[in-house]
Amino acid sequence: MRTLLTTTLLALAFFCGAQPNCNLYKWQGDSSGYKACELYVATLHFYQGSRASQIALDSVLRICPTFDEAWRTKSIPYLKRGDFVTWKILIDKATELNPKEHLGYRGWCRYQFLRDFEGALQDMERLDSLKNGDDIGYSVNGDYHLNIAKALCYKGLGQKEKALRTIEKQLAQPGYTPGLYDYLHLAVLYLELKRYPEAIDGLDKQEKACPGLAENFYYLALAHRQSGDVEQARRYLTQAREQYLAGRHRDDPYDQPMDRIYLSDIDREMARPDK
């Protein structure tokens, strides 16, 4: 049985993407864990998802079936290739073995790839309970604190007021540095709830956090149009189109980020008659 210190140090090493210190297993007298860890480190030299990598990871698990990081690493290529059934089987095994380490990752992936809002929230809420007041961390891509991810799930379930309160609470946490898109999602929620001055204020903050994003100008245009300032709205739409064509917009190689826009959205809004 690993001590709490050993488990914490191993988790930190894995989370940071560094090679795990396999000597930690040796110090605990865990010979199978040590051998598995040494072999796991060797597997990191293979191309992720290659046959050689998967075979090597299987060898790790034959030595130590409870080596949770091998289960997680083995699952990743299936996620990226869209085989969510196989990914879920493997990541569930990793999470069962080490829930504090993998619940946040699984929850984020359930949100990002599957839009499984309820399942993602279950994972993040369970992680919250296991952390017992400690910070629950960030999404695997580093873009979002998991409390912001919770808010996006609430929004996906139609609970916009709860989503808004969740983001506001996270932004008010002492020492918290807002993520690149926190204010964007906050502002869009204000906009959807018809709180236009607050939406504009949020988008001004978003522009400072991540300047020049087409989404910033697009949603500013909507907020100003709803507030009756049609001329300002048109100026922002022109800026949104310019920035979009320059490639300055939300994008992700694996999914369509929430609140991202498309050129068709801008053009449709520009074609709307002024009132």
Side-chain angles (χ1 to χ4, degrees), residues 89-247:
I89 292 169
L90 297 170
I91 196 60
D92 283 357
K93 184 65 176 176
T95 305
E96 177 187 344
L97 291 166
N98 192 349
K100 285 181 75 172
E101 177 65 15
H102 302 296
L103 276 168
Y105 168 77
R106 187 177 71 177
W108 170 256
C109 291
R110 291 172 85 168
Y111 161 76
Q112 181 187 16
F113 290 87
L114 302 177
R115 291 298 192 259
D116 176 12
F117 302 122
E118 290 183 350
L121 278 170
Q122 287 171 7
D123 279 350
M124 288 182 248
E125 293 291 353
R126 186 180 166 209
L127 179 61
D128 234 341
S129 67
L130 292 174
K131 289 285 191 176
N132 197 27
D134 290 339
D135 191 88
I136 62 173
Y138 286 77
S139 62
V140 68
N141 62 12
D143 285 347
Y144 293 100
H145 191 278
L146 290 178
N147 284 330
I148 302 296
K150 282 186 194 178
L152 300 181
C153 290
Y154 291 132
K155 178 176 176 174
L157 292 170
Q159 301 175 38
K160 294 183 181 180
E161 291 283 1
K162 190 170 186 178
L164 182 62
R165 290 195 300 272
T166 302
I167 296 179
E168 288 176 332
K169 182 179 178 181
Q170 183 59 34
L171 289 171
Q173 289 294 316
Y176 175 67
T177 301
L180 282 177
Y181 310 112
D182 289 5
Y183 283 114
L184 173 66
H185 298 301
L186 178 72
V188 174
L189 281 165
Y190 280 136
L191 183 61
E192 291 171 347
L193 294 168
K194 304 186 187 307
R195 294 167 62 173
Y196 304 123
E198 290 153 296
I200 292 170
D201 180 65
L203 288 163
D204 287 341
K205 292 176 179 175
Q206 173 62 30
E207 178 62 15
K208 292 176 183 176
C210 188
L213 204 63
E215 279 81 358
N216 302 353
F217 300 119
Y218 174 78
Y219 289 114
L220 274 167
L222 297 190
H224 279 282
R225 172 166 270 171
Q226 292 299 323
S227 300
D229 191 345
V230 176
E231 290 187 10
Q232 184 67 286
R234 289 213 162 270
R235 284 193 288 271
Y236 279 129
L237 284 172
T238 299
Q239 286 181 278
R241 198 173 198 282
E242 290 172 353
Q243 294 301 95
Y244 193 98
L245 291 174

Side-chain angles (χ1 to χ4, degrees), residues 30-40 56-67:
D30 185 352
S31 59
S32 63
Y34 176 74
K35 291 176 183 177
C37 184
E38 289 279 284
L39 182 55
Y40 174 77
L57 288 166
D58 286 338
S59 298
V60 172
L61 293 168
R62 277 195 294 272
I63 296 170
C64 183
T66 59
F67 198 87

